[in-house]
Amino acid sequence: MNRLLVLSLLVLSWPAQILAQQFPHPQPMTPRDFVVMPWDDASPDPELLRGMKDAGMNIAGFCRAEDIERVRAAGLICVLRDAPLSNYDWKKLPLEDQIRKDVAELKQEFGSNPTVLGFFLSDEPRTPEMPALGRVVALLRESMPDKLPYVNLFPYREGEQHWYTNYEDYAKSLVDIVHQPILSFDNYSLSYGGMGDEFFTNLEIVRKVGLETKTPFWSCIQAVAHFGYLVPSDATLHLQVYSTLAYGGRGIQYFTYFTPQRGNYRMGAIDQFGNKTATWEALRRINYEIHALAPTLVGLRSTGVYHYPDVPKQGQPLSESRLVRGIDMVKDEDGYVPPSVAARFLVGEFEDGKGRSYLMIVNKDLTYSFRFDIEFKPEVHNVMRVNPYSGRAEPFGSEQNWLAPGGGILLRVE
């Protein structure tokens, strides 16, 4: 029977003691399933490493050989960065005998060390460097198939094709030529005017390549103010994280955790004096939400991503959605939101192994909270919310149809 389901009409009466409930810290995901890491060199300071763990990181970042034991003691793992391979000139490789010798030495020293996830090779390589990276990765994976070769891609930027030929081909080359088992890229688009559409276009392209090649992707997001980029906040971190999750991402990397001691860098999680900042607290909050939601998310397959009302380049409008007929903010008569403000939403759709449908709704506004109406297509009859603090599915209702600036909500629909 055809019927409309409008979520803003669902109201449940929740006891005060439930509303006041506090949740225990979620169990961190294993990095093999979902990565949460700083895009930074791991500190040799045990206290700072414990702070990373407390903030919800499951990888300490890029470490030196002498720091591996300290990383292990903090309950973390790392990507080794000071190996000979990290210093290769990708335009002119050493002879293959030398590469094999370097790989053999790495295997002898680190091949059986569970604290070493893999080896850092290159950040933002250009297209002509991919074949050389592929040669080295082939030898690494032949010798240590369980260790990750780490290469991170340039961001998508309109008009900057001198870094690569075509961004989709560039991303594919990391899989087809380098044969890296994950797609990793960075994109910092939070600047003077808010979030630029290039952030979403980058996600569109990497998601497409990931689905076509069955390769998970990690997004490296902006977590420190520098140049003309915005100061991190709950809103900026939530928008970047929830957008990545809505596109099906399997890893979040933060640039940077430690505030660099140059230029106008400021308000990283740890400042230049080694102190925690407000960013650290915001980062911990969003990481706990990731760990609460990830057990559900890792079992989902992305089936579509849609924007409303404005659609970024290469994006899809909400009219293409399989589940949703319409979404908009509730006009607020109490004056919480100025009447001139129009809501902007991102909707990611998924399916689990049992054929059940999920969707993640993200508020793309960095300033205003919105109460939303979502109108489903006739086949949807029941809605559950996955609690971002406990990870449990529960009936949707009460005040759950509010989204904070940059915030997201994961729903299961039947």
Side-chain angles (χ1 to χ4, degrees):
M1 179 178 67
N2 290 346
R3 68 175 185 173
L4 299 179
L5 186 61
V6 181
L7 296 185
S8 64
L9 298 180
L10 287 173
V11 178
L12 299 179
S13 176
W14 284 39
Q17 65 268 27
I18 295 179
L19 292 175
Q21 180 180 1
Q22 292 180 324
F23 296 96
H25 297 170
Q27 183 70 25
M29 291 293 291
T30 168
R32 298 287 180 180
D33 292 325
F34 199 103
V35 162
V36 185
M37 66 176 281
W39 207 98
D40 233 324
D41 290 330
S43 172
D45 186 321
E47 184 177 350
L48 289 173
L49 286 169
R50 286 194 295 271
M52 284 185 176
K53 177 77 170 178
D54 291 344
M57 304 292 184
N58 56 20
I59 297 180
F62 310 114
C63 63
R64 302 174 302 169
E66 58 263 37
D67 296 329
I68 291 173
E69 179 55 29
R70 296 185 185 93
V71 170
R72 184 204 62 77
L76 296 166
I77 64 174
C78 63
V79 177
L80 188 65
R81 188 171 191 165
D82 69 347
L85 278 58
S86 306
N87 300 318
Y88 280 175
D89 181 348
W90 302 105
K91 299 180 183 67
K92 187 179 180 181
L93 283 179
L95 296 175
E96 184 165 323
D97 286 349
Q98 181 62 51
I99 300 172
R100 287 187 177 275
K101 180 176 179 293
D102 291 341
V103 170
E105 290 175 354
L106 286 174
K107 180 178 181 179
Q108 182 176 1
E109 190 168 0
F110 306 109
S112 60
N113 191 326
T115 303
V116 177
L117 177 68
F119 305 102
F120 180 99
L121 298 181
S122 180
D123 179 39
E124 298 183 338
R126 285 153 171 79
T127 298
E129 298 171 18
M130 293 301 195
L133 285 161
R135 285 177 56 197
V136 173
V137 168
L139 295 176
L140 261 178
R141 292 185 66 76
E142 174 187 302
S143 177
M144 292 175 281
D146 61 331
K147 297 296 184 184
L148 174 75
Y150 182 91
V151 177
N152 181 65
L153 295 174
F154 271 115
Y156 169 85
R157 287 282 186 263
E158 189 70 27
E160 293 187 352
Q161 284 80 4
H162 60 279
W163 288 341
Y164 42 79
T165 50
N166 166 282
Y167 196 85
E168 185 174 335
D169 292 340
Y170 175 62
K172 281 182 179 177
S173 70
L174 192 57
V175 180
D176 295 340
I177 297 176
V178 179
H179 297 292
Q180 181 163 287
I182 56 103
L183 284 159
S184 176
F185 71 101
D186 58 76
N187 191 295
Y188 318 133
S189 294
L190 287 161
S191 58
Y192 306 102
M195 175 61 86
D197 275 355
E198 290 175 336
F199 180 77
F200 301 108
T201 302
N202 210 149
L203 285 168
E204 288 283 346
I205 297 170
V206 173
R207 172 185 175 271
K208 179 183 178 186
V209 172
L211 289 174
E212 289 177 353
T213 61
K214 297 182 179 178
T215 307
F217 73 83
W218 302 354
S219 175
C220 183
I221 65 173
Q222 179 182 327
V224 65
H226 60 296
F227 309 156
Y229 296 125
L230 297 179
V231 173
S233 67
D234 269 310
T236 66
L237 292 173
H238 273 73
L239 177 58
Q240 293 176 98
V241 167
Y242 272 100
S243 295
T244 299
L245 299 181
Y247 273 88
R250 291 293 180 266
I252 298 292
Q253 306 167 87
Y254 296 101
F255 179 87
T256 58
Y257 182 81
F258 298 105
T259 307
Q261 300 177 21
R262 62 181 187 272
N264 68 339
Y265 283 84
R266 59 205 185 280
M267 291 303 293
I270 304 296
D271 70 14
Q272 289 91 339
F273 298 98
N275 299 314
K276 293 176 182 176
T277 68
T279 302
W280 188 90
E281 299 287 354
L283 187 146
R284 177 172 61 172
R285 283 191 291 274
I286 188 61
N287 284 347
Y288 283 2
E289 291 179 41
I290 291 172
H291 289 302
L293 294 173
T296 298
L297 292 171
V298 296
L300 305 182
R301 178 178 62 88
S302 176
T303 57
V305 183
Y306 312 98
H307 292 259
Y308 176 81
D310 53 312
V311 182
K313 186 176 180 180
Q314 300 195 36
Q316 299 296 316
L318 189 60
S319 59
E320 300 295 318
S321 167
R322 181 174 59 88
L323 300 171
V324 177
R325 179 170 287 168
I327 185 171
D328 211 342
M329 73 174 184
V330 176
K331 302 303 180 183
D332 199 329
E333 297 178 356
D334 296 322
Y336 293 119
V337 179
S340 59
V341 174
R344 297 181 302 130
F345 294 106
L346 163 65
V347 178
E349 295 184 353
F350 307 88
E351 192 172 87
D352 69 10
K354 298 178 180 178
R356 295 179 300 186
S357 295
Y358 289 73
L359 68 153
M360 180 169 279
I361 307 170
V362 182
N363 175 8
K364 293 167 65 175
D365 196 284
L366 289 170
T367 304
Y368 296 105
S369 293
F370 293 117
R371 184 159 57 105
F372 62 90
D373 274 343
I374 180 166
E375 186 177 306
F376 284 102
K377 293 189 175 177
E379 57 270 23
V380 175
H381 300 283
N382 187 43
V383 182
M384 302 287 285
R385 171 215 190 202
V386 182
N387 190 308
Y389 314 117
S390 70
R392 295 189 294 268
E394 58 193 23
F396 182 88
S398 187
E399 298 172 357
Q400 294 168 355
N401 62 337
W402 277 91
L403 285 175
I409 186 170
L410 180 62
L411 301 175
R412 189 180 80 210
V413 297
E414 298 166 350

